[in-house]
Amino acid sequence: MTAASTAKPRWHTLNLRIPAAERDLIDRAAESAGKTRTDFILEAARRAAEEALLDRALMVVSPEAYREFLKRLDRPAQPNERLRRTMRSKAPWQKI
């Protein structure tokens, strides 16, 4: 058996059954974004999957680290030069 025949496939198939109206909506959105239906659905599904997993992410820290975190959240923001420069600049829609 050759290495090529034992290699895992690069792509897998995912079949969906959806109403025509939903498929048409997805097709219109994909076209407006300049993407194929597959690329549009894959990007949307990947984004939703990442958000779902991030929403459930759990960070475990020591009580001391958590107290420090809360202390920093309660502290008033200290403007720095980068923030000052950003606040002085015009918004992109005002530059014209």
Side-chain angles (χ1 to χ4, degrees), residues 80-91 94:
N80 57 34
E81 185 51 38
R82 184 174 179 188
L83 177 59
R84 288 185 191 96
R85 190 171 53 247
T86 299
M87 296 305 292
R88 287 191 303 260
S89 66
K90 288 187 174 186
Q94 294 175 328

Side-chain angles (χ1 to χ4, degrees), residues 36-48:
T36 65
R37 179 192 303 153
T38 298
D39 289 342
F40 185 84
I41 291 172
L42 183 58
E43 182 180 309
R46 185 184 306 113
R47 192 175 333 122

Side-chain angles (χ1 to χ4, degrees), residues 10 14 17 23-24 31 35 39-40 42-44 50 56 67 71 76 78 84 92:
R10 183 174 168 194
L14 176 65
R17 288 191 169 96
R23 187 200 60 218
D24 293 343
E31 184 179 347
K35 298 179 181 184
D39 289 342
F40 185 84
L42 183 58
E43 182 180 309
E50 288 171 353
R56 288 156 184 80
R67 278 193 299 276
K71 194 165 64 175
Q78 298 298 316
R84 288 185 191 96

